[in-house]
Amino acid sequence: MKTLKIISAESFISDEEYAKQNVRNVAHNLYPLLLKTCYLHEKVEIIYGLVENWPLSDFNFGNLLGKTADIPEDISHWTCHRSLSACLNGLKNYVLNCNTTYTKRLKVVDTTALKDVEYQPCKCKQTLGKWARTELLAKLCFDLLVEMQQLNFDPSVFGVEIEVFANLFVTQRNYELVVQALLMKRHCPLKLRCVGFRADSLSLRNLFYILKLSEPTSIHRLEMVHNIRLQLEHLEVLLTNVTFPQLISLTLPAQTFNVNRYTAEDEEVLCSIGEKLSNMTHLTELSLSFSTLTGRVRKLLSPLKTPLKILEVANCSLNYADMAYLANSLHAEHFVLLDLSGHSVTDLFPSTFFKLLTKASRTLKTLVLEECDMGDTHVNMLTVGLTPCRKLQEFKFLGNPMTSRGLKRIFRSFADLPMLKYIEFPVPRDCYPDDVTYPLDDSNLVKFDRQKYQEVKEVLHMILLQAHREDIVAVTPLFGSYDPEIQETGNELGKCLLESFKGTLENFSEALKKLN
């Protein structure tokens, strides 16, 4: 039931012209309620007026769009293009507003709580993703300085200083604009502060330069992904010349490490990197997926002074020594998320794998075992391993060659995991042609009997219903979970990969010519 305050707020914004003219007369403590109400209803012009005249000292999207006493719904995942753009563009109007009837109190704008999701419940159905938000904020800083120089504003405008905390997503396409905003930060009223930094499709030179500009001492999350050609020696140079004392989460691109090619000198560099990571005393999340780390996990992780809560080592070619280290390490007792995809954990090292799950069972919330070559013969072993994990909330095991019979058996065991809410399960092996081999490539992935799959899916859901576990969501995202960053910049990433492939072919052609 709506409260009287909500009803009043909705009544106030129903007449946009009236609301725009009278927004300055509203009590200051009602601004957050009006902002959230306008955001929900996409009242863009009123949002402009609210932000332009914002009377409070902070503008925190987490507090404004999260759960509130009057509007319990958390809408921080509503990265609505219309409403969010209006909020951010309104900041420029706030700085330039020369109204003498009030004192500007705004000191902090925090956008870091915004979450990008696959489906937008807003009316316009268009999202302003992390990359677009980065570009818009950078453009606002630049445009604001230009307008301040061109027009004759009140001198008090130049005294405004607002810290804008954001998670930046930089690619080659918005690199120059973000660099300009960071270079001019000293002179701009909007001080862009980087809390999280994600880089893709950047040269190493550009990456290192913009990281230094982003005040790395305040970065909490650093993601270098996909088309970043970072290797062992480059990582050492980065960590030697740039310090990240507040870093909590680090994601490295594929093949940053490849121990198959290491010399004795490279082994020393690997040890050096481990030591440098140990200096990051807040580091609790580490993603090393698609690096070759065979036999070197201890060397990299043992120096860490803080136990890891999140570890992603998918497709890292781990061996028994690596698994034994993980199972016996201090990290095991703190894992909240563990990704061991791409390793035959139940075949190659079942005892150490189960020991690892047992030690992690008190904290583990998300377990990812995609393409681990687990078939029907492994269901009992897997069930035994999962039984102690009473806090498990998500279990993802796509790409494993289980038949519908095996899936039915493991689904019956899910009812005994009280906190489990989300499952990603594979298309059953018996829905594919007999000649299909695992792991499935993209061409074979979609060649399954959809009618038979749908029948199996209905049976699996019925198993959960009969166990009174209708709270569990079970899905099969064929190409993996939704990635908002890939969705937003997929075209640019694809273009960079094609250019890289073209360059490789040209180099190969030149090498052949020299041989002739």
Side-chain angles (χ1 to χ4, degrees):
M1 182 180 294
K2 294 182 178 180
T3 65
L4 183 59
K5 287 173 70 175
I6 297 174
I7 294 172
S8 300
E10 290 179 338
S11 176
F12 179 78
I13 68 172
S14 61
D15 187 336
E16 291 195 38
E17 285 302 318
Y18 174 83
K20 285 162 55 180
Q21 294 173 9
N22 291 277
V23 70
R24 293 175 183 169
N25 301 322
V26 174
H28 292 179
N29 64 328
L30 294 178
Y31 266 67
L33 173 62
L34 283 176
L35 190 283
K36 188 172 183 179
T37 306
C38 288
Y39 199 100
L40 277 165
H41 295 279
E42 297 182 18
K43 298 290 186 178
V44 173
E45 294 301 322
I46 306 177
I47 291 176
Y48 277 127
L50 286 168
V51 179
E52 181 178 350
N53 296 280
W54 196 255
L56 307 175
S57 61
D58 72 295
F59 193 99
N60 187 312
F61 279 92
N63 296 335
L64 292 169
L65 303 184
K67 292 182 180 181
T68 57
D70 296 298
I71 306 178
E73 183 181 6
D74 183 350
I75 61 170
S76 57
H77 61 285
W78 284 39
T79 52
C80 170
H81 191 282
R82 285 171 53 81
S83 296
L84 187 50
S85 296
C87 288
L88 297 179
N89 282 306
L91 294 175
K92 185 174 72 170
N93 297 342
Y94 175 90
V95 173
L96 300 179
N97 188 342
C98 296
N99 191 338
T100 58
T101 59
Y102 77 103
T103 302
K104 294 180 181 179
R105 298 179 57 202
L106 184 59
K107 297 297 181 184
V108 175
V109 174
D110 193 335
T111 70
T112 58
L114 294 170
K115 298 184 288 285
D116 296 301
V117 297
E118 185 171 4
Y119 302 106
Q120 281 294 315
C122 62
K123 295 176 184 177
C124 74
K125 302 298 180 185
Q126 292 183 327
T127 181
L128 190 73
K130 187 188 294 184
W131 187 92
R133 294 196 295 273
T134 301
E135 184 180 53
L136 178 56
L137 284 171
K139 189 173 186 301
L140 280 174
C141 294
F142 181 77
D143 290 348
L144 180 57
L145 274 178
V146 171
E147 291 192 34
M148 288 172 63
Q149 295 298 323
Q150 290 179 342
L151 301 177
N152 186 23
F153 287 111
D154 188 308
S156 63
V157 170
F158 292 88
V160 176
E161 290 191 0
I162 303 172
E163 307 279 347
V164 182
F165 294 95
N167 295 320
L168 303 185
F169 182 10
V170 181
T171 65
Q172 198 60 44
R173 192 153 45 106
N174 66 355
Y175 171 79
E176 294 293 341
L177 188 59
V178 178
V179 165
Q180 287 179 344
L182 295 174
L183 283 172
M184 296 184 296
K185 181 165 53 179
R186 180 182 300 178
H187 309 288
C188 183
L190 297 179
K191 311 291 184 183
L192 197 55
R193 305 295 186 192
C194 179
V195 177
F197 188 95
R198 181 183 176 93
D200 196 352
S201 304
L202 286 180
S203 67
L204 292 180
R205 181 177 181 177
N206 288 349
L207 171 66
F208 292 1
Y209 179 63
I210 197 169
L211 276 174
K212 284 196 171 184
L213 287 181
S214 301
E215 294 184 10
T217 54
S218 63
I219 293 179
H220 290 181
R221 305 182 66 86
L222 176 58
E223 299 174 89
M224 297 173 286
V225 297
H226 305 123
N227 204 33
I228 299 287
R229 306 304 180 192
L230 189 75
Q231 295 182 357
L232 179 74
E233 61 274 18
H234 307 133
L235 180 59
E236 188 194 28
V237 171
L238 174 63
L239 297 182
T240 299
N241 292 280
V242 184
T243 56
F244 302 92
Q246 299 300 318
L247 198 66
I248 296 171
S249 177
L250 175 63
T251 298
L252 298 176
Q255 290 303 306
T256 297
F257 304 101
N258 186 352
V259 301
N260 292 336
R261 299 197 298 258
Y262 285 178
T263 63
E265 290 78 9
D266 291 327
E267 294 290 347
E268 292 181 7
V269 173
L270 184 64
C271 291
S272 172
I273 288 174
E275 291 298 326
K276 286 176 170 55
L277 291 177
S278 72
N279 294 328
M280 303 176 190
T281 55
H282 298 281
L283 186 68
T284 57
E285 304 175 14
L286 189 58
S287 177
L288 307 170
S289 297
F290 295 95
S291 277
T292 304
L293 287 168
T294 313
R296 308 303 198 284
V297 170
R298 176 191 293 272
K299 188 173 289 188
L300 194 61
L301 301 188
S302 62
L304 298 183
K305 297 182 177 67
T306 307
L308 293 174
K309 294 181 180 179
I310 293 177
L311 178 63
E312 298 179 0
V313 283
N315 299 283
C316 287
S317 302
L318 304 185
N319 62 12
Y320 178 80
D322 297 318
M323 285 298 296
Y325 166 73
L326 290 177
N328 292 286
S329 70
L330 182 62
H331 302 296
E333 299 175 5
H334 296 83
F335 285 140
V336 174
L337 184 155
L338 181 62
D339 187 349
L340 294 170
S341 299
H343 300 98
S344 299
V345 289
T346 51
D347 263 345
L348 297 181
F349 14 75
S351 59
T352 52
F353 171 60
F354 292 145
K355 182 178 182 179
L356 175 57
L357 286 187
T358 301
K359 291 191 71 173
S361 60
R362 295 180 181 179
T363 55
L364 192 63
K365 294 182 180 180
T366 300
L367 178 62
V368 188
L369 299 175
E370 297 179 358
E371 297 185 350
C372 287
D373 199 27
M374 296 185 299
D376 291 3
T377 57
H378 304 109
V379 170
N380 287 339
M381 298 169 62
L382 187 58
T383 300
V384 171
L386 291 176
T387 298
C389 302
R390 309 292 289 174
K391 293 187 177 181
L392 194 67
Q393 297 178 8
E394 296 184 351
F395 180 45
K396 304 177 182 181
F397 61 116
L398 295 169
N400 286 292
M402 288 187 187
T403 68
S404 53
R405 182 180 178 183
L407 286 173
K408 292 173 189 175
R409 287 163 56 199
I410 196 170
F411 262 67
R412 292 189 183 97
S413 70
F414 289 152
D416 297 326
L417 299 174
M419 305 296 289
L420 191 63
K421 300 294 181 185
Y422 181 77
I423 302 165
E424 290 184 1
F425 67 96
V427 174
R429 175 68 182 83
D430 45 319
C431 289
Y432 284 103
D434 293 337
D435 59 347
V436 167
T437 58
Y438 284 75
L440 298 167
D441 57 32
D442 288 348
S443 60
N444 287 322
L445 188 62
V446 295
K447 294 180 180 178
F448 62 93
D449 187 328
R450 282 170 168 74
Q451 182 177 349
K452 186 174 181 179
Y453 163 76
Q454 194 61 38
E455 292 172 356
V456 174
K457 183 179 179 181
E458 291 174 2
V459 171
L460 297 177
H461 279 274
M462 186 56 64
I463 290 173
L464 295 176
L465 288 174
Q466 290 173 346
H468 305 292
R469 293 305 307 271
E470 56 272 10
D471 58 318
I472 297 177
V473 176
V475 295
T476 306
L478 282 180
F479 297 97
S481 302
Y482 174 74
D483 188 328
E485 282 85 9
I486 289 290
Q487 186 71 22
E488 192 175 13
T489 59
N491 290 338
E492 183 180 4
L493 175 59
K495 181 180 177 183
C496 287
L497 290 175
L498 285 175
E499 290 176 352
S500 177
F501 181 62
K502 180 183 177 183
T504 302
L505 289 179
E506 290 174 350
N507 292 335
F508 181 66
S509 177
E510 289 297 323
L512 287 178
K513 288 178 181 178
K514 291 179 180 179
L515 289 175
N516 293 332

